[in-house]
Amino acid sequence: MVVSSSSISPTSHGVFSNTLCRPAPANINLLRSLFFPSSTSLSLSSIRKNKASQCRKRWTCSGPINASLKATSLESSAETIEVPKGDMWSVHKFGGTCVGSSDRIKNVAEIIVNDNSERKLVVVSAMSKVTDMMYDLIQRAESRDDSFLSALDAVLEKHTATAKDLLEGDELLSFLSRLHDDINNLKAMLRAIYIAGHATESFTEFVVGHGELWSAQMLSSVIRKKGFDCSWMDTRDVLIVNPTSSNQVDPDFPESERRLDKWLSNNPSGIIIATGFIASTPQNIPTTLKRDGSDFSAAIMGALFRARQVTIWTDVDGVFSADPRKVSEAVILRTLSYQEAWEMSYFGANVLHPRTIIPVMRYDIPIVIRNVFNLTAPGTKICRLSPDENGDGEHMQSPVKGFATIDNLALINVEGTGMAGVPGTASAIFGAVKDVGANVIMISQANWTCSSYCILQASSEHSVCFAVPEKEVDAVAEALRTRFRQALSAGRLSQVAVVPNCSILATVGQKMASTPGVSATLFNALAKANINIRAIAQGCSEHNITVVVKRDDCIRALRAVHSRFYLSRTTIAMGIIGPGLIGGTLLDQLRDQAAVLKEKFNIDLRVMGITGSKNMLLSDLGLDLSKWRELQSKQGQAADLQKFVQHVHGNQLIPNTVLVDCTADSFIASHYYDWLRKGIHIITPNKKANSGPLDQYLKLRALQRQSYTHYFYEATVGAGLPIISTLRGLLETGDKILSIEGIFSGTLSYIFNKFVGKRSFSEVVTEAKQAGYTEPDPRDDLSGTDVARKVIILARECGLNLELSDIPPESLVPEPLRATASPEEFMQKLPQFDQGWAKKLQAAEAAGEVLRYVGVVDVVNQRGLVKLQSYKKDHPFAQLSGSDNIISFTTERYKEQPLIVRGPGAGAEVTAGGVFSDILRLASYLGAPS
């Protein structure tokens, strides 16, 4: 390949130094080998001569070399102008999205000219996706992929089309001329890289920085077109940085200030458009501030200018309290302290690059995050806050400002008793980690800090646990096993264990250090959401508390803690099983009360699915309960209990799930244990689980007590009456239960309240059936089995290990009718037995008593009874009306006068109301205000 001297523009950045295109000595051999093959007859002196003249002709205000030449000529011919720094300057930074098209560049220009600051410095990124395109050019050239030429043509076309839409006349011609020169230079450089099959870091960073040059030039031309004095700055002429060993750069502020003063004296414009992302080394070699470096550029320039404020323009309204893609209730934060923004950035929040904060902190320059597409939004201000300030002149209600997460991590645990008291163990561990180049995100054993680590606290003296990116974990684990092979063989170390599929959840707030109970609240919220914590950390400054959780639990954990601290709505995903009489009534009650619960109590109950025995209705966001019956008939699908549960529980945006079983089905009840184990709360009026086989009941209750998953079943005994909660209150406060006696069946209460005087038993049963008080088959009520189940439930609550078979109920179904084929036949034959019932009623009335069907829990004698019994007319059980239930608690405290609970004990409304009450109790347990 023969390259003419006119095809490559030498620059002051990278391959040539500043003085009239003189080659940097260190790069002469590289230049010759890459650009000028042995067949080339050009001498170095001819290159200098030709290029110096072309620089003056063609780079009047375009590229890097021009800034040097222009400065040289101005220094020799013009008087130095002092340009002041300080509060008269405001700094704006616009990212690639903000300048991603000609319309957006015009919008940016309007924002700039409408800013009433006396002087303005504007830092711009490359147009959207251009930096990625430039990196792609390098990769294609290194891979000897000829398509780099067409890819470069796409870059040219993108900027040509944008310029033609923005500019006209001489401004357009001048920009296009410079653009084509740059493209030709890049083409020659990429061709050389193609031949060599390798690009040095300097060449790479020189290539990828061109996008900023072009966007800055176009924007400055648009502003000049509006009639404003505007210059553009190639920050490689001003910003000097020193590369570090950690793929970062450190600004050289003294040298950068010196160069800035020189640049300003030669360019005293009121508006300066500066390139972001790019800079130079002290040897004038072009470099970058690495990925996401444009924000860093703006902060550095803000510090150099001592600016009043740095505004970072982006495409969101500000900094959210949590990632809004994961937490729909996340809110915009009006203010953040420097430390809070730093912590949230470190832990993955889309705020700023963590290093952006450092330059402005020195001069207390605030950073404001604003939305370029929504100028009415005030944004988020990052500044130095007093300890009790929230930015609105009010005291903060919560010590926590926000939450951030890092995914795709793995924990490594190095453990062994031989570590205790042995100096240098931690050093050896992290030395091995450093040797493989891994990035340690957190450590849970030591209490020290450095620039590369976020260090966590722990009490163990014989283990070190730390998190690294999952892609690096295998190399780290192998390095540690190699380094400690002898200690592992000797047993001084027991293991180097890897825990994959982890995520970090960081809780950030300035006031956490001075507010007691923050950690307890955080861990309580996670526990109630059934989140298992793998590791915990809290630094001495207490600006953050960090926990490691399973990756699959991360979003649920984030939602749970955000809801708890941020007073957002307590959101619960609900699945309703059995939309029959009770379930349907419950859904109607939820429909009528949903708006009030959201507005007054911050409770958001979302029914994600309804299933019956034949079909089910599912929703991703929550069903419209005003038309759930219509939706079920039109959009219902075949019922599948497993699919139903997976759908309701699988919504990662909602941390809490509850299944409400409104059936009387033992098959549904048999799933309670597995659901609780998965972290699903259960609420039910179904008595089958708590009155079923004793071993299964004990297993279920043991699981409930061991976890923070809730199982509420108030409606299993007294419909809407507080029977279970009253009993628990007595037991938990230390009272001793002697006996519980009551009328537990609303159906049988109604029957015996009406069975008086001359009325026949069959007549009253028929009336109860017609009124809807009985089951479709009245024998289900008259058998006493339902009452026996309630007695078993209460007996087990009292600690009695009784089976249902231990309490044979006195059946009210005549023996000959128990095997009757149908309910209709039973009702037809029931009058045949009215005479026997009449005798029982007469005997009771003759004694001044009434008949009542009761259940008894005899705790003293550890037994239960279900029977028909007579009571004096002045007894509380004789005072009932309708379908009321009544339960009497005789205890050590209430021995002389038992504690009575009385009220409606049957009917869909009261039973559904009891279930609804349990739902609200669950919401309270999960963090809703009481």
Side-chain angles (χ1 to χ4, degrees):
M1 179 186 72
V2 178
V3 184
S4 69
S5 61
S6 61
S7 66
I8 305 174
S9 282
T11 75
S12 61
H13 303 281
V15 294
F16 291 103
S17 65
N18 275 344
T19 310
L20 296 178
C21 305
R22 182 178 72 250
N27 293 323
I28 290 175
N29 292 333
L30 179 61
L31 285 169
R32 287 175 174 160
S33 64
L34 280 180
F35 290 101
F36 306 108
S38 57
S39 61
T40 302
S41 59
L42 293 174
S43 67
L44 198 55
S45 60
S46 67
I47 296 173
R48 294 173 183 164
K49 181 177 179 180
N50 289 339
K51 296 317 295 177
S53 63
Q54 291 181 41
C55 284
R56 291 186 175 89
K57 290 178 183 177
R58 293 164 42 202
W59 291 77
T60 303
C61 46
S62 63
I65 183 62
N66 171 64
S68 171
L69 295 174
K70 185 176 179 181
T72 302
S73 62
L74 285 174
E75 284 178 15
S76 60
S77 62
E79 183 179 337
T80 301
I81 301 172
E82 286 289 337
V83 178
K85 300 177 182 177
D87 286 350
M88 75 285 297
W89 286 96
S90 65
V91 174
H92 297 263
K93 180 265 175 178
F94 293 92
T97 303
C98 302
V99 293
S101 66
S102 57
D103 287 339
R104 291 183 178 181
I105 292 175
K106 292 175 185 177
N107 182 49
V108 167
E110 284 296 321
I111 293 173
I112 294 168
V113 299
N114 289 331
D115 177 13
N116 58 9
S117 300
E118 184 178 338
R119 292 177 178 271
K120 289 160 277 192
L121 175 83
V122 180
V123 177
V124 291
S125 299
M127 293 181 70
S128 179
K129 306 298 182 184
V130 168
T131 300
D132 289 337
M133 295 169 74
M134 303 305 284
Y135 275 112
D136 182 58
L137 290 172
I138 296 287
Q139 292 172 0
R140 294 186 189 210
E142 286 185 310
S143 303
R144 294 193 171 96
D145 181 349
D146 289 327
S147 64
F148 79 85
L149 293 170
S150 59
L152 185 59
D153 288 340
V155 174
L156 171 63
E157 176 57 30
K158 180 181 181 74
H159 289 87
T160 299
T162 304
K164 288 180 178 179
D165 197 24
L166 290 171
L167 310 177
E168 56 190 23
D170 290 343
E171 288 279 6
L172 176 59
L173 293 175
S174 177
F175 174 78
L176 291 179
S177 175
R178 296 193 299 266
L179 175 64
H180 279 85
D181 284 342
D182 287 349
I183 293 296
N184 287 333
N185 292 341
L186 289 172
K187 190 173 296 184
M189 180 172 283
L190 290 166
R191 173 61 68 181
I193 293 171
Y194 178 93
I195 294 172
H198 172 71
T200 66
E201 182 179 356
S202 295
F203 280 19
T204 297
E205 303 216 317
F206 176 74
V207 171
V208 300
H210 274 72
E212 281 72 15
L213 295 172
W214 299 325
S215 61
Q217 292 170 40
M218 285 191 290
L219 180 58
S220 64
S221 295
V222 172
I223 293 174
R224 283 196 299 272
K225 182 179 175 182
K226 291 178 175 289
F228 291 85
D229 178 27
C230 179
S231 298
W232 79 276
M233 174 194 290
D234 181 348
T235 49
R236 294 178 298 186
D237 292 331
V238 172
L239 182 53
I240 304 302
V241 297
N242 292 298
T244 70
S245 60
S246 55
N247 197 31
Q248 294 181 343
V249 293
D250 291 330
D252 184 339
F253 281 100
E255 177 61 19
S256 298
E257 290 208 50
R258 187 186 68 77
R259 296 198 182 196
L260 176 61
D261 290 340
K262 180 186 290 187
W263 193 96
L264 289 176
S265 69
N266 296 319
N267 299 274
S269 300
I271 302 176
I272 300 171
I273 310 299
T275 56
F277 182 55
I278 56 178
S280 292
T281 69
Q283 295 77 35
N284 296 316
I285 298 174
T287 188
T288 69
L289 303 184
K290 313 311 174 187
R291 282 289 191 178
D292 302 316
S294 292
D295 288 349
F296 195 19
S297 296
I300 295 170
M301 298 307 289
L304 291 174
F305 277 87
R306 311 294 192 269
R308 172 179 55 84
Q309 178 174 289
V310 174
T311 303
I312 307 292
W313 293 90
T314 181
D315 56 359
V316 294
D317 287 344
V319 180
F320 283 86
S321 54
D323 187 338
R325 295 168 298 181
K326 300 176 180 178
V327 181
S328 59
E329 294 87 357
V331 298
I332 296 291
L333 301 173
R334 294 292 300 275
T335 60
L336 281 173
S337 70
Y338 292 125
Q339 291 81 5
E340 288 167 341
W342 196 343
E343 295 282 0
M344 291 185 70
S345 297
Y346 180 86
F347 287 105
N350 188 20
V351 182
L352 294 169
H353 191 282
R355 302 198 74 201
T356 303
I357 309 295
I358 300 172
V360 296
M361 282 182 64
R362 180 178 179 184
Y363 301 104
D364 282 348
I365 300 170
I367 297 177
V368 179
I369 312 294
R370 293 195 62 189
N371 190 346
V372 72
F373 306 116
N374 182 14
L375 301 183
T376 60
T380 300
K381 185 176 184 179
I382 299 170
C383 56
R384 192 178 305 278
L385 299 177
S386 62
D388 62 348
E389 188 181 1
N390 70 357
D392 300 314
E394 300 176 359
H395 291 274
M396 292 170 54
Q397 294 183 349
S398 171
V400 172
K401 273 291 184 71
F403 305 90
T405 58
I406 303 177
D407 293 322
N408 301 319
L409 300 176
L411 281 176
I412 296 180
N413 186 46
V414 182
E415 184 174 327
T417 55
M419 294 172 59
V422 179
T425 302
S427 175
I429 291 172
F430 295 110
V433 175
K434 179 184 177 183
D435 289 343
V436 298
N439 179 32
V440 177
I441 307 300
M442 54 147 267
I443 304 172
S444 68
Q445 191 265 345
N447 185 26
W448 48 277
T449 59
C450 71
S451 60
S452 300
Y453 301 130
C454 169
I455 306 303
L456 314 178
Q457 294 178 343
S459 60
S460 173
E461 293 184 355
H462 61 274
S463 71
V464 175
C465 178
F466 57 94
V468 298
E470 203 155 39
K471 62 184 179 181
E472 299 173 354
V473 69
D474 290 339
V476 172
E478 181 60 30
L480 289 171
R481 293 184 181 115
T482 300
R483 171 64 179 81
F484 294 102
R485 181 178 289 113
Q486 184 177 355
L488 288 165
S489 299
R492 296 194 303 276
L493 289 184
S494 58
Q495 64 173 347
V496 176
V498 173
V499 182
N501 303 319
C502 293
S503 293
I504 280 179
L505 167 63
T507 303
V508 175
Q510 179 170 291
K511 285 195 66 182
M512 286 161 42
S514 58
T515 306
V518 174
S519 297
T521 304
L522 172 71
F523 300 143
N524 185 257
L526 292 171
K528 287 183 175 180
N530 206 45
I531 304 295
N532 185 36
I533 299 173
R534 298 294 185 88
I536 301 169
Q538 183 169 1
C540 294
S541 66
E542 293 192 48
H543 283 122
N544 83 73
I545 302 172
T546 308
V547 298
V548 179
V549 299
K550 288 173 57 179
R551 184 167 57 208
D552 292 344
D553 291 339
C554 186
I555 295 178
R556 202 154 49 89
L558 180 62
R559 270 301 295 267
V561 297
H562 186 275
S563 176
R564 179 62 185 86
F565 279 102
Y566 237 87
L567 297 181
S568 61
R569 293 187 295 270
T570 300
T571 307
I572 303 176
M574 300 177 60
I576 308 297
I577 304 173
L581 186 59
I582 295 174
T585 304
L586 173 64
L587 286 164
D588 292 339
Q589 291 176 351
L590 289 167
R591 173 200 64 202
D592 296 339
Q593 197 66 10
V596 176
L597 291 173
K598 280 186 181 181
E599 180 180 350
K600 293 187 176 181
F601 302 100
N602 290 320
I603 299 173
D604 186 3
L605 302 176
R606 300 188 190 180
V607 177
M608 312 303 289
I610 302 170
T611 186
S613 59
K614 296 182 179 179
N615 62 43
M616 65 182 180
L617 178 65
L618 306 178
S619 171
D620 292 327
L621 299 176
L623 291 167
D624 180 357
L625 296 184
S626 66
K627 50 184 179 181
W628 69 268
R629 290 180 176 87
E630 177 186 349
L631 292 172
Q632 188 179 37
S633 63
K634 292 182 178 180
Q635 301 178 14
Q637 53 187 283
D640 182 327
L641 186 61
Q642 182 178 1
K643 181 179 178 182
F644 176 81
V645 173
Q646 287 175 345
H647 174 84
V648 175
H649 188 50
N651 191 323
Q652 291 295 312
L653 293 179
I654 303 178
N656 306 300
T657 304
V658 59
L659 293 176
V660 182
D661 174 19
C662 296
T663 73
D665 194 320
S666 57
F667 174 74
I668 300 295
S670 69
H671 289 80
Y672 288 1
Y673 182 86
D674 289 335
W675 293 343
L676 287 172
R677 193 170 56 180
K678 292 178 181 177
I680 302 173
H681 307 289
I682 297 173
I683 294 172
T684 186
N686 186 347
K687 294 176 278 292
K688 297 299 174 61
N690 283 14
S691 62
L694 180 61
D695 59 338
Q696 295 181 20
Y697 166 81
L698 294 175
K699 182 181 176 182
L700 182 66
R701 291 303 304 274
L703 175 63
Q704 177 200 359
R705 294 187 182 102
Q706 291 167 6
S707 70
Y708 276 86
T709 308
H710 299 288
Y711 172 40
F712 294 150
Y713 44 87
E714 184 70 74
T716 57
V717 175
L721 296 180
I723 306 303
I724 300 292
S725 57
T726 298
L727 176 56
R728 283 189 174 177
L730 294 170
L731 293 170
E732 289 169 2
T733 58
D735 202 353
K736 183 178 180 181
I737 307 298
L738 302 178
S739 68
I740 304 172
E741 185 176 0
I743 297 172
F744 295 103
S745 169
T747 301
L748 297 178
S749 177
Y750 179 88
I751 289 173
F752 286 103
N753 283 332
K754 297 294 184 180
F755 184 41
V756 292
K758 302 291 186 179
R759 302 197 68 184
S760 68
F761 187 74
S762 62
E763 176 189 355
V764 174
V765 173
T766 300
E767 179 183 303
K769 187 176 188 301
Q770 292 174 347
Y773 286 114
T774 71
E775 295 293 333
D777 187 341
R779 286 174 294 182
D780 292 340
D781 299 293
L782 297 174
S783 68
T785 302
D786 182 67
V787 176
R789 289 188 179 279
K790 294 177 181 180
V791 170
I792 278 290
I793 292 171
L794 293 176
R796 289 175 175 177
E797 289 288 322
C798 294
L800 303 183
N801 291 333
L802 298 178
E803 293 279 11
L804 187 60
S805 58
D806 295 330
I807 310 176
E810 180 182 344
S811 178
L812 304 182
V813 180
E815 180 70 31
L817 301 184
R818 292 176 186 175
T820 303
S822 67
E824 291 74 21
E825 183 181 355
F826 166 75
M827 292 301 298
Q828 289 174 359
K829 295 181 177 180
L830 185 60
Q832 300 174 11
F833 300 89
D834 280 344
Q835 187 174 359
W837 278 107
K839 290 181 180 179
K840 292 181 181 180
L841 176 61
Q842 291 170 4
E845 289 182 342
E849 297 176 343
V850 295
L851 295 175
R852 295 291 185 261
Y853 195 80
V854 298
V856 179
V857 179
D858 185 350
V859 178
V860 175
N861 295 303
Q862 299 188 18
R863 62 175 184 163
L865 302 171
V866 176
K867 60 182 180 179
L868 183 67
Q869 190 166 317
S870 60
Y871 292 89
K872 294 292 184 182
K873 292 185 178 181
D874 60 352
H875 193 279
F877 287 11
Q879 310 300 315
L880 296 184
S881 61
S883 61
D884 282 3
N885 281 5
I886 186 168
I887 294 88
S888 170
F889 295 92
T890 302
T891 73
E892 290 287 357
R893 294 177 189 160
Y894 296 95
K895 186 181 295 185
E896 301 300 325
Q897 188 174 352
L899 175 63
I900 301 292
V901 177
R902 171 181 170 176
E909 287 288 337
V910 294
T911 303
V915 175
F916 199 165
S917 179
D918 272 350
I919 293 171
L920 296 182
R921 185 153 64 107
L922 173 65
S924 178
Y925 277 41
L926 296 176
S930 59

